[in-house]
């Protein structure tokens, strides 16, 4: 029997109650419902140091981010909208992925990524656009379907629980879509990620 796809969610914010993290968890539930094995990389829990290219030996928390992201079959990214773009914490996490430049294949080559933003107003697509630029820079593929959660304070309550059925369905649909497209990529023998990703998964287990 074919092993289930591994879908890793990266994002959230440093806030104790993060709407972007809550949105990401719903999308991961959608991916799990589609048969994937899921894992959340919560930026608040990771507590990453700032990436310094002159001192790029990763500490344990950054190493977890790097290896888990590389071993995944596909990813879901979610950021709040801060000052018209992604949060500094999310950008810093992506900066740590620069250390994947020496892998073969490099970076997140041919990995499928689903994009989510959560905004206080109506302009969350600005964060989505920034994440899409980063996706291309890391040699991954963003699925065309994205979810920009506008007026997030009305969608999630003070505890981070979603109470908008339409947005809930959109997020679960995104999780399902990432699994669907990820399976297409995984079935293509010309995409030579297998051996390197298996080694990355072994490194994650060894570091645990």
């Amino acid at each position: 029997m074919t092993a289930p796809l591994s879908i890793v969610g990266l994002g959230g914010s440093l806030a104790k109650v993060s709407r972007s993290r809550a949105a990401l968890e719903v999308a991961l539930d959608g991916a799990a419902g589609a048969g994937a094995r899921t894992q959340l990389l919560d930026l608040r829990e990771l507590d990453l140091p700032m990436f310094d290219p002159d001192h790029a030996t990763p500490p344990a928390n950054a190493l977890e981010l790097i290896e888990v992201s590389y071993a995944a079959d596909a990813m879901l990214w979610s950021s709040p909208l801060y000052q018209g773009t992604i949060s500094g914490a999310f950008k810093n996490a992506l900066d740590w992925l620069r250390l994947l430049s020496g892998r073969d294949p490099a970076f997140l080559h041919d990995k499928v990524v689903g994009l989510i933003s959560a905004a206080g107003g109506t302009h969350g697509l600005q964060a989505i656009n920034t994440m899409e630029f980063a996706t291309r820079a890391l040699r991954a593929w963003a699925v065309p379907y994205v979810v920009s959660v506008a007026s997030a304070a009305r969608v999630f309550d003070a505890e981070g629980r979603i109470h908008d059925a339409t947005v809930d369905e959109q997020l679960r649909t995104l999780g399902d879509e990432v699994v669907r497209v990820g399976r297409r990529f995984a079935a293509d023998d010309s995409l030579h990620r297998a051996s390197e990703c298996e080694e990355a998964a072994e490194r994650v287990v060894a570091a645990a």
Side-chain angles (χ1 to χ4, degrees):
M1 186 174 67
T2 303
L5 255 63
S6 169
I7 309 295
V8 170
L10 171 64
S13 73
L14 303 186
K16 184 176 181 180
V17 178
S18 166
R19 297 181 181 101
S20 57
R21 180 172 59 247
L24 180 56
E25 289 172 340
V26 175
L28 284 171
D29 282 346
R37 177 169 48 87
T38 64
Q39 181 175 353
L40 172 64
L41 292 175
D42 178 353
L43 293 182
R44 178 180 171 87
E45 292 185 359
L46 280 176
D47 191 24
L48 296 166
M50 289 299 293
F51 176 73
D52 180 349
D54 292 329
H55 301 87
T57 299
N61 49 356
L63 184 62
E64 178 186 7
L65 163 70
I66 292 165
E67 299 297 351
V68 169
S69 297
Y70 195 75
D73 293 303
M75 298 189 75
L76 286 157
W77 292 357
S78 182
S79 174
L81 180 74
Y82 288 170
Q83 282 62 255
T85 187
I86 59 176
S87 70
F90 190 87
K91 176 59 167 63
N92 183 52
L94 297 183
D95 288 346
W96 276 106
L97 296 181
R98 178 179 175 179
L99 298 185
L100 291 171
S101 62
R103 301 288 177 89
D104 179 22
F107 299 111
L108 302 179
H109 179 81
D110 281 339
K111 195 181 300 294
V112 176
V113 182
L115 304 177
I116 304 163
S117 69
T122 60
H123 302 292
L125 279 175
Q126 294 174 200
I128 295 285
N129 291 339
T130 303
M131 286 189 282
E132 190 168 4
F133 295 146
T135 302
R136 291 201 296 269
L138 289 167
R139 304 181 191 176
W141 299 83
V143 298
Y145 186 85
V146 301
V147 180
S148 173
V149 182
S151 303
R154 300 178 185 176
V155 175
F156 298 94
D157 65 22
E159 301 300 320
R161 294 183 294 260
I162 192 167
H163 53 83
D164 185 309
T166 299
V167 176
D168 183 272
E169 182 179 0
Q170 291 171 346
L171 290 165
R172 293 178 187 278
T173 297
L174 176 61
D176 183 273
E177 182 69 359
V178 167
V179 174
R180 184 188 70 82
V181 180
R183 284 182 178 140
R184 294 281 185 100
F185 274 63
D188 189 336
D189 292 335
S190 69
L191 305 179
H192 60 290
R193 291 191 55 85
S195 61
E196 276 286 331
C197 288
E198 287 169 3
E199 292 174 9
E202 290 172 0
R203 285 190 288 267
V204 171
V205 172

